[in-house]
Each structure stands twice: as C-alpha cells, then as structure tokens.
Amino acid sequence: MPGTTRMASAEETSYLNEKESSSEGLGSESESPRRGKKHQYFGLESTLVEKLEYHVQKYIHNFLIQLTRREIRGAYDVAVATTNMFLVVVKAWRWTTARELMQLVHELGHITSAAQPLELTIGNTTRRVLFIVREAYVEKDQWLKMKQEKSEGRAPSLSASVGEESFARRLYKLFEESDEQDDYSKPYNVKDVVVTEITDLVTELAELYKSVADQAQEHIHANEVIMTFGKSRTVEEFLKAAASFRSFEVFVAESAPSCWGREQAVRLAQAGINTTLIPDSAIFAMMSRVNKVIIPTHSVMANGGLVALTGTHMLALAAKHHSVPVIVCAGLYKLCPLYPFDQDSFNELNTPNAILPFDEVESNVEVFNPSYDYVPPELVELFVTNTGGHAPSYIYRLLSHYYHLEDYHW
C-alpha cells in the first residue's frame, strides 16, 4: 500500500552505506532508507523516494551515480536513461492519485537535474512525463463526466468523443471565465494509460534517428555542398540517408578544441560520402562555396535559439553573412521551454588545458574554454525534427503541444 514502510534488511543497509561512501555529492542519509526519514540528494530533500521499493531506489541511486560521474552523457543517452527511470518508477510505485505521481515526478526531476544541471533533456523529459500524467487524468475525468451526462439524458458539454477531448478542453479553457483548476486528486485509475504513453515515448526515442533521416531527401539535392560542425549521430544518419539517393559534398569543420569533427569526417567518408575536413579558421573562407549548413544542437530553447557546441555561433554568423541557410537536426526531446539571456545562461567552462597545456604557461594567463554557444533564432532557417520541419517561430506552438504551461518552470 502507498506509504507503507518496513525496516531495511542488513543487506540493503550495507549496500546503501557502501554507495553513500563511494559517491560524493549525492548527499547523506542519517537513517536507513526505509525508516521514514527524509533523504537528501545534492542538498535536496526527498520525501517520496523512500516510499519506493528497495530495487527501485537502487535503480535511481545507480542512475544518479552514473550521471554524476558522466558515465551517461550526451543529450540523447541522458534522455533515454531518464525516460526509462520514470517508466520503472511509474510501474513499480502504487500511487492512488495523479497528484501523488506528479509530486514524485517533480521530486525525481529536481534530484536528477541537480546531478547534471546543464543536461537540459532531463528537465524536458520530466515535463513530458508530467504532461502525460495530466492528460491521462483529464481525459479520464472528462470521459466520466460525459458518461454521467449521457446517463442523465443531457448532451455532452465539451465534445462528442474522448478522442476529441484533449483539443476541445484546451479550446474551451481559452474562453473559460472560471478560475477553477484541476487538483488531480481524484482517485482515477490511469496507471495503464500513463505506462503506455511513457512506453510510446521510449519507442519514439528509439526511432528518432530514422524519423529525422527519412526527411533528408527533401532537404539535400544533387551536387550540393553541405557544411557541418562537430559530431552528431542525428546529422550523420541524416547525411547518410541523403547519400543513398544523391551525390553531394560535405565540409566538416573540426570544431576545436574537442576536434569531434575529425571523427565525424571519418564516419562520413567510410559511408562513401565525398568529405573534406577543414580547420575552424577556414569556415568563413569556405562558406561562399556552401549551399546549406546542417548542424546538431545540445538544446532548442523557447525562443527558437540554440544551445550548441562552442563554435556554432561563429559558423552561423558566417552563414548569415553569405546568405546560406542553417538547418538544425534535432529530436523534440531537446525542446526546452526556458529562455537564454546571453552566452553564459546555459554554459560551463571546461579545463583550459585543452587549449593551452599547463606546462606551457610561463605567466598568468586567463584561458576560457566554454562548452556551448548560444545561437539566436534569427540565425536559424529551419529545424528538422522527428515530426517534420519547423521554423524557429513555430517553437512556441510545439512547447504547448508537448508540455503543460504550469510545468515550464517546475
């Protein structure tokens, strides 16, 4: 039953104590995890995690350790791992109301985001799961109301079918004068629906690369010259799919100091694509020969801008100067409802040793090695996502389709 507690076995207590001592930063627990005391992860209190079964707690704990140690890194891998974590939790926890589940999802989202604050896909996945729970509850609530109205001989108030309910309800609320809000506290059994929707989300992520690559033929034409930047499996699969239909040339900027472009160039060349690796300093000079710029991104922000690999802003400015369209290949799991204000809003500094080795420094020198660039939306022509192509000005509509407004700043 929800909220039931038991004493931890000696094996469980020993395991958790061992994990606590081997994972700095995860926080400490003064008591056994099953004694009703509040847990702390990264300074955040956990009041619901201890209600989960021991094997689920163990799963979450291991996931947090992997995030902290960066054993799981990259937007896609983090999104997949986070979605799987929520699926395990929703299946295992015996929750009675949607509000209880939403509170747990909120709590887990905050804890997981604290492990890697700049992995914005953690927050995006959390918002998507919250949206799924909200929609399942609302559809069940409206279905029961329609059933009651029909039994009383009244016409349904909002829609004729449950399938139309989600859209009709949103449209109705635009003009609704009442301030009444759902509190999600009714004990509706929507667990099967939520589990199915999260499973569909896992499937969506698994098929993401193919969904984006299937659109390549629409955007790349014969004998074009394409420029790309850094390393990305999404862009790689996109270009490989286009190469199966047409012949074209690709310039790959090496994207120093990480130089991930070198690995990307090798992979494209092995796929039979005519590929040229160029230094970052040659981007502006070569841009006059380029027909399109196709790049990946770390995150798509609410205003249609990008948080992308450092150096991408320079590339986009060069493309703008030469009137070359910039196309961004990204899955919708990277869609973030937050607004960046400058280059430092969602950024971190890496070790300067990658730019200037410590043993070569003879005097006090400041070396900055940022991880990301912010690229404003006016430098982007089109987003190619797993649901089709979208202009930067359409991002606000996608946000309302996949996230609830109340979860934007959870």
Side-chain angles (χ1 to χ4, degrees):
M1 296 296 293
T4 302
T5 60
R6 63 175 177 81
M7 296 296 290
S9 67
E11 179 185 0
E12 293 173 357
T13 305
S14 173
Y15 172 85
L16 287 171
N17 289 337
E18 177 184 347
K19 284 298 182 182
E20 288 163 20
S21 62
S22 64
S23 55
E24 288 188 20
L26 282 181
S28 60
E29 301 171 59
S30 58
E31 297 284 343
S32 160
R34 310 297 290 186
R35 292 180 183 170
K37 298 293 183 180
K38 292 183 179 180
H39 297 264
Q40 280 205 349
Y41 295 93
F42 310 100
L44 300 175
E45 286 190 350
S46 166
T47 58
L48 296 175
V49 171
E50 69 256 24
K51 295 183 180 180
L52 300 172
E53 294 296 328
Y54 169 72
H55 72 278
V56 181
Q57 291 190 49
K58 179 179 177 181
Y59 183 95
I60 295 170
H61 195 86
N62 287 337
F63 175 50
L64 293 175
I65 291 174
Q66 289 178 309
L67 276 179
T68 306
R69 296 174 178 173
R70 298 193 179 228
E71 294 173 6
I72 301 176
R73 60 188 307 169
Y76 178 79
D77 290 339
V78 170
V80 171
T82 306
T83 306
N84 284 325
M85 178 194 69
F86 283 125
L87 183 59
V88 169
V89 169
V90 171
K91 283 183 176 180
W93 195 35
R94 297 178 181 178
W95 44 279
T96 56
T97 67
R99 183 166 63 181
E100 289 179 4
L101 179 59
M102 289 167 61
Q103 288 172 346
L104 178 61
V105 171
H106 268 278
E107 189 173 286
L108 285 174
H110 282 294
I111 291 171
T112 311
S113 294
Q116 284 297 337
L118 287 180
E119 289 293 353
L120 300 179
T121 53
I122 296 174
N124 300 342
T125 305
T126 303
R127 295 180 185 95
R128 186 80 177 269
V129 172
L130 287 170
F131 183 82
I132 288 172
V133 177
R134 290 178 186 274
E135 288 295 290
Y137 176 90
V138 168
E139 288 188 5
K140 182 73 172 181
D141 186 58
Q142 293 300 326
W143 183 81
L144 290 175
K145 286 181 179 178
M146 289 195 310
K147 186 177 179 181
Q148 181 180 359
E149 289 171 353
K150 287 182 179 179
S151 66
E152 295 175 354
R154 293 183 293 156
S157 59
L158 288 181
S159 64
S161 67
V162 176
E164 300 171 2
E165 187 57 48
S166 182
F167 172 77
R169 183 175 182 276
R170 292 195 196 100
L171 186 63
Y172 177 78
K173 282 210 164 194
L174 288 176
F175 304 98
E176 189 179 19
E177 295 181 359
S178 172
D179 292 329
E180 182 181 354
Q181 297 291 332
D182 291 320
D183 60 2
Y184 304 95
S185 60
K186 297 175 184 176
Y188 295 151
N189 182 15
V190 295
K191 183 171 184 176
D192 290 342
V193 176
V194 173
V195 169
T196 300
E197 290 294 326
I198 298 178
T199 303
D200 290 344
L201 180 57
V202 173
T203 304
E204 176 186 319
L205 290 171
E207 298 176 351
L208 181 139
Y209 295 121
K210 184 179 183 301
S211 300
V212 175
D214 286 344
Q215 305 169 60
Q217 195 174 0
E218 304 173 14
H219 300 283
I220 298 179
H221 307 291
N223 300 318
E224 283 191 329
V225 178
I226 309 296
M227 183 177 288
T228 188
F229 188 84
K231 179 183 68 173
S232 165
R233 185 180 170 188
T234 309
V235 173
E236 178 186 342
E237 296 297 331
F238 188 80
L239 295 175
K240 285 181 179 179
S244 63
F245 296 99
R246 299 185 174 99
S247 175
F248 55 91
E249 184 178 0
V250 178
F251 292 157
V252 182
E254 65 177 355
S255 61
S258 65
C259 295
W260 287 341
R262 298 176 184 177
E263 185 178 343
Q264 183 84 321
V266 170
R267 291 181 178 180
L268 294 177
Q270 290 174 343
I273 300 174
N274 185 7
T275 307
T276 303
L277 179 67
I278 63 173
D280 297 342
S281 57
I283 287 177
F284 190 85
M286 301 296 290
M287 190 62 71
S288 59
R289 297 179 52 190
V290 172
N291 300 107
K292 288 185 181 74
V293 172
I294 301 178
I295 56 174
T297 183
H298 177 69
S299 185
V300 180
M301 310 310 290
N303 62 347
L306 311 176
V307 173
L309 181 65
T310 181
T312 306
H313 188 213
M314 169 191 66
L315 175 70
L317 287 173
K320 183 74 172 180
H321 180 84
H322 289 277
S323 299
V324 176
V326 175
I327 298 176
V328 180
C329 293
L332 288 176
Y333 69 94
K334 294 184 177 181
L335 191 62
C336 180
L338 304 179
Y339 285 87
F341 298 100
D342 51 37
Q343 293 290 344
D344 298 326
S345 295
F346 299 95
N347 213 336
E348 64 181 352
L349 295 178
N350 297 319
T351 172
N353 189 58
I355 298 177
L356 183 63
F358 295 122
D359 56 4
E360 296 181 10
V361 178
E362 297 181 359
S363 60
N364 293 330
V365 178
E366 283 190 304
V367 180
F368 294 94
N369 182 15
S371 295
Y372 305 111
D373 272 354
Y374 167 61
V375 181
E378 56 267 22
L379 300 181
V380 179
E381 183 76 18
L382 183 71
F383 290 98
V384 179
T385 71
N386 44 309
T387 62
H390 306 288
S393 59
Y394 192 72
I395 294 300
Y396 80 96
R397 181 65 185 86
L398 293 176
L399 287 171
S400 64
H401 185 73
Y402 290 100
Y403 306 137
H404 193 280
L405 182 62
E406 293 182 8
D407 300 325
Y408 280 13
H409 300 282
W410 57 278

